[in-house]
Amino acid sequence: MNMFKPYENDTESTAIEDLTLENQTDCINLYGDLQITRDQHGLQIAKELQALLNAIIAELEADPALPEKIQRTPEGETDNPFS
């Protein structure tokens, strides 16, 4: 696992199999798909996910000025080039 630093920049991302965590300075986007199987491999995957979530939680808890809820500007829709 690489050294993913939550909320640090708008360019970093990391992946666990087909699940991607994408950094932004005001949010973390998760997308993709992840299967945690009931075996040693599944345990390893679960621990990787836990470590990333623990890092996100620690970063949020360390912010003394953490707002109740931020207002995010939705990303613009892209016109379908095939229509």
XYZ file of all heavy atoms in Angstrom:
654
model
N 0.848 -1.181 0.000
C 0.000 0.000 0.000
C 0.893 1.243 0.000
O 1.890 1.300 0.690
C -0.894 -0.028 1.248
C -1.857 1.113 1.315
S -3.062 0.980 2.648
C -2.049 1.247 4.066
N 0.510 2.210 -0.801
C 1.306 3.433 -0.851
C 0.934 4.356 0.308
O 0.084 4.051 1.110
C 1.146 4.132 -2.209
C -0.265 4.602 -2.483
O -1.087 4.708 -1.601
N -0.553 4.873 -3.728
N 1.572 5.484 0.374
C 1.369 6.418 1.479
C 0.297 7.444 1.099
O 0.591 8.601 0.843
C 2.685 7.100 1.831
C 3.748 6.157 2.341
S 3.246 5.230 3.807
C 3.071 6.527 4.997
N -0.930 7.019 1.035
C -2.067 7.879 0.736
C -2.297 8.808 1.924
O -2.480 8.354 3.049
C -3.296 7.003 0.488
C -4.531 7.748 0.087
C -4.684 8.214 -1.203
C -5.559 7.943 0.983
C -5.836 8.880 -1.595
C -6.717 8.596 0.608
C -6.851 9.060 -0.686
N -2.277 10.115 1.684
C -2.484 11.106 2.739
C -3.820 11.803 2.489
O -3.913 12.662 1.610
C -1.330 12.095 2.773
C -0.022 11.426 3.148
C 1.102 12.426 3.250
C 2.347 11.717 3.714
N 3.379 11.612 2.727
N -4.855 11.433 3.235
C -6.189 11.966 2.996
C -6.247 13.486 3.017
O -5.637 14.124 3.866
C -7.016 11.385 4.149
C -6.259 10.202 4.614
C -4.819 10.513 4.365
N -6.977 14.036 2.064
C -7.278 15.465 1.954
C -6.052 16.327 1.669
O -6.135 17.536 1.738
C -7.987 15.985 3.219
C -9.210 15.191 3.577
C -9.176 14.267 4.620
C -10.385 15.341 2.858
C -10.292 13.516 4.944
C -11.506 14.594 3.178
C -11.457 13.680 4.221
O -12.556 12.952 4.530
N -4.927 15.727 1.330
C -3.707 16.506 1.149
C -3.653 17.245 -0.183
O -3.098 18.326 -0.277
C -2.476 15.610 1.282
C -1.193 16.412 1.294
C -0.012 15.575 1.697
O 0.145 15.294 2.885
O 0.748 15.192 0.786
N -4.190 16.674 -1.233
C -4.101 17.310 -2.549
C -5.243 16.838 -3.432
O -6.031 15.984 -3.036
C -2.742 16.996 -3.193
C -2.497 15.508 -3.306
O -3.314 14.787 -3.860
N -1.388 15.039 -2.776
N -5.298 17.371 -4.618
C -6.354 17.005 -5.570
C -5.863 16.064 -6.653
O -6.517 15.911 -7.688
C -6.922 18.269 -6.239
C -7.755 19.096 -5.281
O -8.457 18.516 -4.443
O -7.714 20.336 -5.380
N -4.710 15.450 -6.453
C -4.136 14.640 -7.526
C -3.838 13.204 -7.139
O -3.665 12.366 -8.007
C -2.813 15.270 -8.010
O -1.899 15.331 -6.915
C -3.039 16.664 -8.569
N -3.795 12.890 -5.884
C -3.387 11.567 -5.440
C -4.564 10.603 -5.372
O -5.668 10.975 -5.006
C -2.759 11.701 -4.048
C -2.184 10.436 -3.498
C -1.584 10.672 -2.113
O -2.182 11.407 -1.305
O -0.514 10.124 -1.854
N -4.305 9.354 -5.727
C -5.302 8.311 -5.546
C -4.578 7.020 -5.208
O -3.368 6.890 -5.409
C -6.167 8.141 -6.796
O -5.409 7.620 -7.852
N -5.335 6.089 -4.667
C -4.799 4.768 -4.373
C -5.891 3.762 -4.672
O -7.064 4.124 -4.789
C -4.317 4.677 -2.903
O -3.574 3.468 -2.734
C -5.463 4.720 -1.917
N -5.508 2.521 -4.812
C -6.486 1.488 -5.143
C -6.229 0.239 -4.322
O -5.091 -0.095 -3.994
C -6.429 1.159 -6.626
N -7.319 -0.428 -3.984
C -7.280 -1.766 -3.422
C -8.063 -2.603 -4.418
O -9.275 -2.443 -4.547
C -7.943 -1.839 -2.038
C -7.310 -0.868 -1.062
C -7.880 -3.261 -1.499
C -8.025 -0.773 0.265
N -7.350 -3.422 -5.157
C -7.948 -4.177 -6.248
C -8.711 -3.213 -7.156
O -8.115 -2.298 -7.687
C -8.775 -5.332 -5.712
C -7.936 -6.245 -4.850
C -8.263 -7.701 -4.953
O -9.289 -8.071 -5.545
O -7.461 -8.490 -4.422
N -10.027 -3.340 -7.295
C -10.786 -2.475 -8.202
C -11.501 -1.326 -7.494
O -12.345 -0.655 -8.088
C -11.812 -3.308 -8.992
C -11.154 -4.256 -9.967
O -10.056 -3.942 -10.458
O -11.724 -5.334 -10.230
N -11.199 -1.093 -6.225
C -11.764 0.032 -5.485
C -10.738 1.159 -5.472
O -9.602 0.961 -5.051
C -12.100 -0.367 -4.048
C -12.677 0.740 -3.177
C -14.098 1.092 -3.631
C -12.675 0.328 -1.716
N -11.136 2.324 -5.945
C -10.243 3.478 -5.993
C -10.673 4.506 -4.965
O -11.856 4.801 -4.837
C -10.249 4.114 -7.397
O -9.820 3.137 -8.339
C -9.341 5.322 -7.474
N -9.698 5.031 -4.241
C -9.913 6.159 -3.331
C -9.170 7.327 -3.946
O -7.966 7.252 -4.173
C -9.363 5.872 -1.934
C -10.148 4.863 -1.106
C -9.716 3.459 -1.445
C -9.957 5.140 0.359
N -9.901 8.389 -4.243
C -9.344 9.536 -4.943
C -9.370 10.751 -4.020
O -10.407 11.111 -3.480
C -10.191 9.795 -6.188
C -9.709 10.900 -7.070
C -10.617 11.043 -8.273
O -11.709 11.628 -8.122
O -10.234 10.543 -9.329
N -8.202 11.340 -3.837
C -8.035 12.477 -2.949
C -8.556 13.759 -3.574
O -8.369 14.010 -4.758
C -6.540 12.666 -2.686
C -6.204 12.743 -1.228
O -7.077 12.759 -0.387
N -4.932 12.778 -0.933
N -9.192 14.553 -2.752
C -9.458 15.951 -3.026
C -9.230 16.663 -1.706
O -9.195 16.013 -0.657
C -10.878 16.159 -3.544
C -11.085 15.548 -4.909
C -12.435 15.892 -5.504
O -13.241 16.603 -4.916
N -12.673 15.380 -6.683
N -9.055 17.945 -1.730
C -8.765 18.640 -0.480
C -9.991 18.763 0.416
O -9.856 18.987 1.617
C -8.190 20.046 -0.744
O -9.069 20.766 -1.603
C -6.810 19.952 -1.362
N -11.199 18.580 -0.148
C -12.397 18.681 0.677
C -13.222 17.398 0.737
O -14.253 17.356 1.385
C -13.275 19.848 0.221
C -13.805 19.664 -1.189
O -13.346 18.750 -1.904
O -14.681 20.450 -1.587
N -12.768 16.332 0.067
C -13.477 15.058 0.147
C -12.587 13.931 -0.382
O -11.577 14.176 -1.042
C -14.806 15.094 -0.590
S -14.673 14.944 -2.367
N -12.995 12.724 -0.085
C -12.373 11.526 -0.638
C -13.457 10.829 -1.451
O -14.541 10.554 -0.939
C -11.877 10.564 0.475
C -10.955 11.255 1.472
C -11.235 9.326 -0.144
C -9.619 11.646 0.942
N -13.197 10.578 -2.717
C -14.135 9.859 -3.561
C -13.758 8.382 -3.571
O -12.596 8.040 -3.761
C -14.086 10.384 -4.999
C -14.598 11.800 -5.102
O -15.653 12.112 -4.580
N -13.846 12.655 -5.756
N -14.738 7.516 -3.379
C -14.539 6.075 -3.482
C -15.391 5.577 -4.635
O -16.580 5.900 -4.723
C -14.990 5.359 -2.207
C -14.060 5.433 -1.021
C -14.207 6.727 -0.301
C -14.340 4.276 -0.102
N -14.788 4.819 -5.504
C -15.557 4.221 -6.581
C -14.909 2.922 -7.016
O -13.736 2.689 -6.786
C -15.739 5.188 -7.756
C -14.451 5.744 -8.324
C -13.767 5.072 -9.330
C -13.920 6.945 -7.859
C -12.584 5.581 -9.851
C -12.747 7.455 -8.374
C -12.084 6.771 -9.366
O -10.912 7.271 -9.886
N -15.706 2.093 -7.594
C -15.209 0.804 -8.053
C -15.911 -0.327 -7.344
O -17.059 -0.221 -6.957
N -15.154 -1.397 -7.138
C -15.763 -2.594 -6.620
C -14.694 -3.382 -5.879
O -13.532 -3.390 -6.273
C -16.346 -3.256 -7.862
C -16.443 -4.720 -7.910
O -16.945 -5.306 -6.979
O -16.059 -5.263 -8.944
N -15.070 -3.962 -4.777
C -14.124 -4.707 -3.955
C -14.832 -5.888 -3.331
O -15.884 -5.729 -2.712
C -13.552 -3.798 -2.850
C -12.535 -4.421 -1.908
C -11.261 -4.788 -2.669
C -12.207 -3.472 -0.776
N -14.272 -7.045 -3.506
C -14.804 -8.246 -2.873
C -13.851 -8.660 -1.766
O -12.653 -8.822 -1.997
C -14.943 -9.384 -3.877
C -15.996 -9.132 -4.917
C -16.167 -10.316 -5.851
O -15.326 -11.204 -5.910
N -17.253 -10.323 -6.580
N -14.397 -8.804 -0.565
C -13.609 -9.264 0.566
C -14.042 -10.704 0.832
O -15.102 -10.954 1.409
C -13.819 -8.363 1.801
C -13.417 -6.921 1.451
C -13.020 -8.887 2.983
C -13.720 -5.906 2.535
N -13.232 -11.617 0.362
C -13.553 -13.035 0.474
C -13.183 -13.565 1.855
O -12.364 -12.982 2.564
C -12.793 -13.831 -0.604
O -11.402 -13.481 -0.545
C -13.331 -13.508 -1.996
N -13.791 -14.661 2.227
C -13.545 -15.262 3.549
C -12.335 -16.195 3.461
O -12.446 -17.418 3.485
C -14.783 -16.006 4.019
C -14.697 -16.428 5.456
C -15.961 -17.135 5.907
N -15.781 -17.592 7.261
C -16.493 -17.170 8.287
N -17.436 -16.276 8.114
N -16.254 -17.648 9.490
N -11.167 -15.577 3.310
C -9.911 -16.317 3.235
C -8.774 -15.382 3.607
O -9.011 -14.230 3.988
C -9.711 -16.931 1.838
C -9.793 -15.911 0.702
O -9.662 -14.693 0.952
O -9.981 -16.339 -0.453
N -7.538 -15.853 3.540
C -6.383 -15.034 3.914
C -6.256 -13.795 3.031
O -5.923 -12.710 3.504
C -5.093 -15.862 3.853
C -4.999 -16.914 4.933
C -4.916 -16.302 6.319
O -4.220 -15.317 6.544
N -5.644 -16.883 7.269
N -6.551 -13.963 1.747
C -6.498 -12.819 0.836
C -7.543 -11.776 1.231
O -7.269 -10.569 1.255
C -6.698 -13.284 -0.612
C -6.667 -12.170 -1.602
N -5.518 -11.485 -1.931
C -7.660 -11.592 -2.328
C -5.795 -10.552 -2.818
N -7.097 -10.594 -3.067
N -8.744 -12.234 1.559
C -9.804 -11.321 1.993
C -9.421 -10.583 3.265
O -9.705 -9.397 3.425
N -8.756 -11.278 4.180
C -8.295 -10.648 5.409
C -7.283 -9.550 5.107
O -7.348 -8.453 5.663
C -7.677 -11.696 6.347
C -7.068 -11.174 7.649
C -8.113 -10.451 8.497
C -6.425 -12.318 8.417
N -6.365 -9.826 4.200
C -5.359 -8.827 3.811
C -6.032 -7.604 3.194
O -5.704 -6.460 3.528
C -4.372 -9.428 2.819
C -3.361 -8.443 2.292
C -2.521 -9.033 1.173
O -2.564 -10.218 0.879
N -1.757 -8.185 0.524
N -6.988 -7.828 2.310
C -7.719 -6.734 1.656
C -8.489 -5.910 2.694
O -8.484 -4.680 2.663
C -8.679 -7.295 0.583
C -7.907 -7.967 -0.543
C -9.620 -6.227 0.052
C -6.970 -7.075 -1.279
N -9.147 -6.600 3.640
C -9.918 -5.905 4.680
C -8.999 -5.029 5.534
O -9.361 -3.910 5.902
C -10.672 -6.910 5.543
N -7.807 -5.525 5.836
C -6.872 -4.745 6.646
C -6.355 -3.528 5.880
O -6.152 -2.465 6.472
C -5.709 -5.622 7.108
C -6.126 -6.569 8.218
C -4.944 -7.390 8.708
C -5.347 -8.262 9.887
N -4.204 -8.995 10.450
N -6.152 -3.659 4.571
C -5.740 -2.505 3.753
C -6.828 -1.443 3.762
O -6.544 -0.250 3.923
C -5.447 -2.937 2.315
C -4.162 -3.690 2.143
C -3.903 -4.059 0.688
O -4.131 -3.204 -0.194
O -3.486 -5.201 0.436
N -8.072 -1.868 3.590
C -9.195 -0.929 3.614
C -9.313 -0.281 4.990
O -9.509 0.937 5.102
C -10.489 -1.646 3.239
C -11.755 -0.797 3.198
C -11.621 0.350 2.208
C -12.953 -1.677 2.846
N -9.165 -1.069 6.035
C -9.235 -0.538 7.394
C -8.154 0.514 7.632
O -8.418 1.564 8.219
C -9.087 -1.671 8.411
C -9.158 -1.196 9.844
C -8.948 -2.322 10.833
O -8.220 -3.272 10.579
N -9.610 -2.223 11.980
N -6.936 0.262 7.156
C -5.842 1.221 7.335
C -6.150 2.536 6.630
O -5.898 3.617 7.182
C -4.529 0.629 6.821
N -6.706 2.468 5.427
C -7.060 3.693 4.709
C -8.182 4.446 5.424
O -8.123 5.666 5.577
C -7.462 3.366 3.275
C -6.311 2.971 2.353
C -6.839 2.383 1.048
C -5.413 4.162 2.079
N -9.201 3.725 5.875
C -10.304 4.375 6.590
C -9.829 4.957 7.920
O -10.249 6.050 8.305
C -11.455 3.394 6.805
C -12.206 2.999 5.531
C -13.225 1.914 5.831
C -12.867 4.193 4.888
N -8.931 4.249 8.606
C -8.375 4.782 9.857
C -7.606 6.071 9.610
O -7.675 7.009 10.414
C -7.481 3.754 10.540
C -8.276 2.631 11.195
O -9.470 2.745 11.438
N -7.606 1.530 11.472
N -6.876 6.153 8.496
C -6.132 7.371 8.160
C -7.095 8.529 7.878
O -6.852 9.671 8.304
C -5.222 7.134 6.959
N -8.180 8.244 7.192
C -9.184 9.275 6.904
C -9.821 9.761 8.207
O -9.945 10.963 8.449
C -10.251 8.740 5.924
C -9.626 8.492 4.547
C -11.436 9.704 5.828
C -10.510 7.700 3.601
N -10.206 8.836 9.067
C -10.825 9.193 10.341
C -9.862 10.007 11.201
O -10.248 11.022 11.799
C -11.312 7.930 11.079
C -12.498 7.313 10.321
C -11.694 8.244 12.528
C -12.860 5.917 10.770
N -8.607 9.586 11.266
C -7.613 10.314 12.068
C -7.445 11.742 11.568
O -7.349 12.683 12.365
C -6.280 9.569 12.040
N -7.422 11.912 10.254
C -7.286 13.251 9.675
C -8.489 14.122 10.029
O -8.350 15.286 10.393
C -7.114 13.157 8.161
C -6.892 14.460 7.469
C -5.570 15.132 7.814
O -4.595 14.438 8.160
O -5.523 16.374 7.744
N -9.683 13.565 9.945
C -10.889 14.318 10.292
C -10.922 14.661 11.777
O -11.240 15.788 12.159
C -12.140 13.516 9.906
C -12.390 13.348 8.410
C -13.478 12.315 8.166
C -12.739 14.673 7.766
N -10.586 13.712 12.627
C -10.612 13.946 14.073
C -9.545 14.946 14.518
O -9.717 15.616 15.532
C -10.427 12.623 14.828
C -11.631 11.722 14.742
C -11.474 10.410 15.477
O -10.325 9.929 15.657
O -12.519 9.836 15.857
N -8.463 15.072 13.762
C -7.376 15.975 14.131
C -7.667 17.433 13.784
O -6.935 18.319 14.210
C -6.080 15.543 13.435
N -8.723 17.683 13.035
C -9.051 19.045 12.619
C -9.949 19.702 13.663
O -11.135 19.385 13.763
C -9.758 19.015 11.263
C -10.040 20.392 10.700
O -9.842 21.404 11.408
O -10.462 20.465 9.533
N -9.405 20.646 14.460
C -10.218 21.274 15.505
C -11.316 22.181 14.944
O -12.269 22.502 15.644
C -9.199 22.091 16.308
C -8.081 22.340 15.358
C -8.047 21.173 14.421
N -11.195 22.585 13.689
C -12.182 23.483 13.083
C -13.070 22.738 12.085
O -13.610 23.336 11.160
C -11.466 24.638 12.386
N -13.235 21.447 12.285
C -14.034 20.640 11.357
C -15.487 21.130 11.352
O -16.155 21.143 12.387
C -13.986 19.166 11.776
C -14.521 18.144 10.794
C -13.650 18.099 9.539
C -14.575 16.772 11.436
N -15.978 21.586 10.200
C -17.355 22.092 10.147
C -18.376 20.958 10.239
O -18.048 19.793 10.019
C -17.424 22.775 8.779
C -16.374 22.119 7.964
C -15.301 21.673 8.907
N -19.589 21.309 10.550
C -20.682 20.331 10.617
C -20.897 19.683 9.251
O -21.016 18.478 9.138
C -21.965 21.025 11.094
C -23.139 20.103 11.264
C -22.987 19.133 12.424
O -22.313 19.465 13.412
O -23.561 18.030 12.331
N -20.979 20.513 8.207
C -21.166 20.009 6.841
C -20.692 21.092 5.885
O -21.041 22.256 6.051
C -22.636 19.678 6.573
C -22.879 19.088 5.202
C -24.301 18.584 5.084
C -24.664 18.194 3.688
N -24.256 16.912 3.253
N -19.911 20.684 4.885
C -19.448 21.666 3.910
C -20.395 21.684 2.716
O -21.120 20.722 2.464
C -18.006 21.382 3.434
C -17.925 20.032 2.706
C -17.028 21.451 4.587
C -16.592 19.789 2.013
N -20.372 22.788 2.006
C -21.130 22.908 0.765
C -20.173 22.643 -0.389
O -19.175 23.340 -0.527
C -21.735 24.310 0.634
C -22.765 24.626 1.681
C -23.981 23.728 1.582
O -24.450 23.412 0.495
N -24.477 23.283 2.712
N -20.448 21.622 -1.162
C -19.605 21.306 -2.309
C -20.338 21.705 -3.573
O -21.538 21.504 -3.695
C -19.301 19.809 -2.366
C -18.488 19.375 -1.156
C -17.819 18.042 -1.363
N -16.715 18.222 -2.303
C -16.542 17.474 -3.381
N -17.369 16.512 -3.682
N -15.516 17.677 -4.177
N -19.602 22.258 -4.502
C -20.159 22.599 -5.799
C -20.171 21.328 -6.634
O -19.124 20.706 -6.819
C -19.298 23.671 -6.499
O -19.193 24.800 -5.631
C -19.895 24.076 -7.820
N -21.339 20.916 -7.112
C -21.377 19.698 -7.921
C -20.582 19.891 -9.207
O -20.567 20.976 -9.796
C -22.856 19.483 -8.223
C -23.566 20.689 -7.750
C -22.630 21.533 -6.946
N -19.913 18.824 -9.588
C -19.161 18.891 -10.839
C -20.148 18.984 -11.996
O -21.211 18.399 -11.965
C -18.275 17.651 -10.983
C -17.186 17.601 -9.930
C -16.259 16.420 -10.116
O -16.192 15.873 -11.227
O -15.606 16.051 -9.136
N -19.772 19.728 -13.006
C -20.659 19.943 -14.146
C -20.897 18.671 -14.929
O -20.058 17.790 -14.989
N -22.076 18.586 -15.491
C -22.392 17.443 -16.334
C -21.745 17.634 -17.694
O -21.614 18.753 -18.189
C -23.900 17.312 -16.506
C -24.599 16.840 -15.265
C -26.072 16.556 -15.540
O -26.447 16.346 -16.709
O -26.827 16.531 -14.569
N -21.358 16.536 -18.291
C -20.772 16.579 -19.615
C -21.810 16.132 -20.630
O -22.509 15.145 -20.412
C -19.549 15.606 -19.685
O -18.651 15.976 -18.649
C -18.881 15.675 -21.026
N -21.949 16.884 -21.703
C -22.876 16.503 -22.757
C -22.438 15.188 -23.376
O -21.248 14.935 -23.545
C -22.946 17.580 -23.835
C -23.620 18.851 -23.330
O -24.458 18.750 -22.426
O -23.298 19.928 -23.868
N -23.413 14.376 -23.730
C -23.135 13.102 -24.363
C -22.692 13.365 -25.805
O -23.449 13.886 -26.610
C -24.388 12.220 -24.350
C -24.140 10.852 -24.928
O -23.124 10.599 -25.567
N -25.097 9.958 -24.710
N -21.443 13.016 -26.138
C -20.960 13.299 -27.496
C -21.588 12.385 -28.543
O -21.435 12.618 -29.734
C -19.448 13.054 -27.386
C -19.310 12.086 -26.280
C -20.425 12.407 -25.314
N -22.308 11.352 -28.117
C -22.887 10.386 -29.051
C -24.358 10.646 -29.343
O -24.986 9.937 -30.094
C -22.728 8.962 -28.512
C -21.286 8.612 -28.272
C -20.788 8.549 -27.000
C -20.438 8.380 -29.338
C -19.454 8.240 -26.765
C -19.084 8.076 -29.115
C -18.610 8.011 -27.847
N -24.926 11.708 -28.756
C -26.348 11.958 -29.012
C -26.531 13.071 -30.010
O -25.684 13.797 -30.368
C -27.078 12.294 -27.727
O -26.512 13.424 -27.107
